[in-house]
Each structure stands twice: as C-alpha cells, then as structure tokens.
Amino acid sequence: MNTQERWHASMQNNYGVPAITLSKGEGITVWDEDGKKYLDFLGGIATNILGHAHPAIVKAVSKQIEELSHVSNLYGHKPGVELAEKLRSFTGDPTARVFFCNSGAEANEAAIKISRLTGRVQIVAALGGFHGRTAGALSITGQEAKRKPFEPLLPKVKFVPYGDIKAMKRTISKRTSMVILEPIQGENGVVVPPDGYLEEVRELCDKKGALLAIDAVQTGMGRTGEWFGYELEGITPDIITLAKGLGGGLPLGAMITLGKKVPAFKPGEHGSTFGGNPISCAAANAAVDFIVKKDLLEKVAISGEFLKAQLSKIPGVTSVRGQGLLLGIVLESNVANDVAMKAQQNGLLINAPAKNVIRIAPALIVDKKELREFVEIFDRTLNEVLNG
Ligand SMILES: Cc1ncc(COP(=O)(O)O)c(C=O)c1O
C-alpha cells in the first residue's frame, strides 16, 4: 500500500485523503515523499510564520527539549513568562493578561468562558466567520454547513452579516456578553470589512457594555504587517485570541485580555495540560525575536503591496484583497479549486477557500525572488486552467 492508501485505511475521513505526502521542508520550499519540490505559499495555512526548519526555531526547540519539556500547569517556566511579557508589550497595554492553550479553537473557548463571567450569555458573531471546530468555537462559527450536523450547540448565539454595522446595531443589546469578529475573515475567502467597521463595532460594544473579542488566530503574529491585524483600525479590543503563527509551527494558542472590563479567571476556573508548554513557548519566543530583529512587519507590508500590484495585472484576476501576506486572489470565474490543483502539479501550494478565491499565506521570511517565482507560476497556472 502507498501512503495515501495507508492513510485512507487508518485515518478518520474528516480531511479526505491528502493528494500528496510531504516529507521535508526548508524555508518556503517543501518536498513530497517522491522528492518533488513545491513552493509553499500556504505556510501550513498561515502557521509556519518563519517557514520550515528555520534555524532559530530548530535551535530554540532543541535547547529547550534538552533542558525541560513538560511541567504541567502546577509549575511555572521561563519560556512561558517571557512570551507572555512579549505579547503584553505588543498590545501596548500593561493590564494585558495571557492564557496559553494549544490551538485557535481552544483560545476561542477560553474567550467564550471568560465572557460568561460577565453574567451575560448572548454572543454576537459574524456570518461567514470561522472560530474553530470544538463545540463552543463551532457554536460561534457563522457557517451553517459546519454547525448543522452537530446541533444543538451553545444557545443564544446571534449571527450578523460581516461588515454590516446596521445589522450589528440591531442585534447587540444589554444582554450581549461578547461580540467576536475576525479583522479579516480568512476561511471565508479573505474577506475584508469596510473601513471603520471595527471602530463602529467598538463604539457599540462600549454603549451596550459588551466585550469585543478579536479573533486574530489567522491574521495575528505579523501576518498583516501588524502584530494582531486590528491595529490599523485604531481600536483596542477587550480580548485577543491567537494561535497558528504564534508557535512558529508548533502547537500554541493564546487568549489575551485587555483593560478592566474583562473579568479575570480565578484559580481553578480554566486550564490546559499542554497549553503554553515550554517547547512551544521556546519556539514562539524564537519566532517573535526573529520577527523583531529583522523588522519583518515592515517587510510583510511591502511584500503584500508588491504581490497585490503584480497579481492584479494577471488576466482572469478580478481583484486582490487582504493585507500583508494574507491575500485572497479573486478570480473572474469559479475555477479556484482547479487552479489550486493545477498549481500543485506545477509545484506550488495554495488553496481555495471559496469557489472563486485563491488564498495565499506564505511565511513572513519570503524574499523578492520567491515572490516573483510565485507570480510566474500562478500566472502560468491560471492561464493553463482558463485556456486549456
Ligand atoms: C480565525 C480563526 N479562528 C480560529 C481557528 C481555529 O484554529 P485551530 O484550527 O487552531 O483550532 C482558525 C483556523 O483556521 C481561524 O482561521
């Protein structure tokens, strides 16, 4: 049996059977088990923030696993404290407090639980939004097809069209504990809200005494050219959730509370065995330090602008949306799946979150030569799909 057949025979079918099996990675290049090379412009879906096998992460993780791997949450450890301090400094808010977990869904579960401590129950979330697959995170995910087979889920969740401030105004009330929104809806096809939307939602939350949670799981850790993806909007949320890029490729999530309005967990109210373990935190510290040292946030913004300009010129592309290195290439027709498949054959990894949208989320270390190579393969691939 080949690896696909073995996968099919032994794994749950929730992901289907992957068409290729990867065996090695370096920077933004990966190889499959047959030695075929790919340019990885999906980055583990916005996760491998410094690419594959980055020397800074390899060194930090190797050192940490030799010294101390797991301590449980009964004991403290320095990599965790150091990372929490760094995240706190990126928020610019000395009241910021961090809870570490392993994933984006868990970070949002923590946000849901902490919002319950306000004494209110109702949550307002956006249609098309994605917050994870666990029962709580799924309850606030605005994609009916994903929720339906598992209902009943959490009660008192209301969904509003993303970017529609009037609908938000009609829905948010004095019973609302929390509004949760992505700064850019990644899984929904890299959908960007109108300018000023988050600012107006912030005002509404303040008026009704509701918390504002920003799910920066996909947009965070420098992907948009800012740390958390909401800063350009000029708002301060009450809660930020993070995962994906945070661990530099290792499993790590975080929920950060800001300001005085958010209740605080008391000892015993929440926890996670592996959450914020020393090895994932060591990887995250290394990734964050590298981003700061190399001024990657600025480079991400420049790379994003370069890609937008180049990709917009390609026949068959209607527009390019998103920010920094989280971009949605909107196609004139519903051929995104065919394009992603053809790209794979052509040695390029990208995906299709919507019928007419290709998403790219390469590592933040991607250089100009790799950006040009990507544009060349993408252009050729789209042309092959559209013109046979
Ligand atoms: C915005 C957002 N929130 C939450 C999640 C869930 O993260 P995880 O798969 O780590 O549970 C995702 C994953 O795609 C996401 O994009």
Side-chain angles (χ1 to χ4, degrees):
M1 281 205 286
N2 65 24
T3 314
Q4 266 87 13
E5 287 161 348
R6 287 167 58 200
W7 177 288
H8 182 61
S10 56
M11 298 278 208
Q12 276 284 345
N13 201 30
N14 55 314
Y15 302 116
V17 180
I20 54 172
T21 301
L22 299 179
S23 60
K24 184 177 149 57
E26 192 181 324
I28 67 153
T29 305
V30 288
W31 289 263
D32 69 17
E33 59 180 353
D34 301 320
K36 182 173 167 169
K37 191 172 159 184
Y38 303 84
L39 199 61
D40 180 7
F41 257 63
L42 198 52
I45 315 188
T47 297
N48 300 320
I49 210 129
L50 298 191
H52 299 270
H54 192 279
I57 294 183
V58 172
K59 192 171 156 204
V61 168
S62 307
K63 183 170 177 285
Q64 188 59 47
I65 204 162
E66 275 185 3
E67 283 174 6
L68 186 72
S69 57
H70 177 73
V71 297
S72 87
N73 44 44
L74 297 177
Y75 309 101
H77 55 86
K78 274 208 180 134
V81 176
E82 278 168 21
L83 182 61
E85 286 170 350
K86 283 171 198 165
L87 293 175
R88 194 162 67 130
S89 78
F90 298 153
T91 68
D93 182 344
T95 69
R97 293 290 180 274
V98 181
F99 164 77
F100 284 123
C101 49
N102 303 286
S103 66
E106 279 179 82
N108 289 325
E109 293 288 340
I112 293 169
K113 276 181 72 176
I114 223 163
S115 78
R116 285 281 174 100
L117 297 178
T118 59
R120 301 183 185 185
V121 176
Q122 187 196 80
I123 294 177
V124 181
L127 286 168
F130 184 79
H131 301 291
R133 303 286 192 157
T134 54
L138 186 60
S139 305
I140 56 172
T141 284
Q143 301 183 18
E144 206 187 345
K146 293 193 170 76
R147 284 198 318 272
K148 201 86 196 144
F150 305 102
E151 287 175 341
L153 292 163
L154 283 184
K156 303 201 190 303
V157 180
K158 298 206 164 193
F159 293 104
V160 292
Y162 187 59
D164 182 342
I165 196 66
K166 285 195 181 131
M168 183 64 82
K169 206 172 189 167
R170 281 196 303 272
T171 310
I172 188 170
S173 77
K174 293 239 154 86
R175 289 188 300 280
T176 308
S177 61
M178 170 173 85
V179 174
I180 184 160
L181 293 169
E182 297 161 79
I184 295 172
Q185 288 187 329
E187 293 308 297
N188 196 29
V190 194
V191 177
V192 182
D195 281 349
Y197 175 65
L198 291 181
E199 207 180 334
E200 287 185 271
V201 174
R202 174 73 274 182
E203 279 168 23
L204 285 176
C205 286
D206 288 343
K207 228 164 142 182
K208 302 290 179 186
L211 302 173
L212 174 60
I214 290 293
D215 179 339
V217 167
Q218 190 155 155
T219 50
M221 301 319 291
R223 177 141 301 280
T224 61
E226 311 154 278
W227 281 113
F228 305 116
Y230 63 77
E231 290 93 326
L232 281 184
E233 291 283 329
I235 59 150
T236 305
D238 303 295
I239 299 173
I240 305 165
T241 56
L242 293 172
K244 287 196 179 279
L246 175 61
L250 271 78
L252 185 62
M255 180 202 61
I256 309 175
T257 58
L258 305 172
K260 299 231 161 64
K261 271 187 285 172
V262 205
F265 281 137
K266 288 201 262 314
E269 280 184 338
H270 198 49
S272 162
T273 293
F274 282 114
N277 67 82
I279 298 168
S280 293
C281 288
N285 279 315
V288 160
D289 292 350
F290 190 86
I291 292 170
V292 172
K293 193 168 116 204
K294 299 287 177 182
D295 238 340
L296 285 190
L297 298 194
E298 204 173 307
K299 288 192 185 128
V300 164
I302 295 168
S303 298
E305 289 311 310
F306 172 80
L307 282 175
K308 274 188 178 174
Q310 297 300 310
L311 293 165
S312 306
K313 290 188 220 158
I314 296 176
V317 171
T318 311
S319 63
V320 184
R321 61 194 187 202
Q323 201 181 308
L325 289 174
L326 178 61
L327 297 179
I329 308 166
V330 185
L331 307 176
E332 273 168 18
S333 49
N334 292 341
V335 291
N337 267 325
D338 297 342
V339 171
M341 257 152 50
K342 190 77 174 168
Q344 195 166 290
Q345 287 164 15
N346 289 343
L348 171 67
L349 302 185
I350 49 181
N351 90 326
K355 282 185 188 146
N356 65 334
V357 181
I358 290 291
R359 169 176 46 186
I360 58 166
L364 310 192
I365 53 161
V366 65
D367 66 22
K368 207 57 184 269
K369 187 171 153 280
E370 291 158 336
L371 293 177
R372 287 209 179 92
E373 196 185 343
F374 158 73
V375 173
E376 186 277 312
I377 304 176
F378 181 79
D379 188 353
R380 176 159 45 89
T381 302
L382 183 56
N383 184 34
E384 281 168 13
V385 169
L386 293 177
N387 304 314

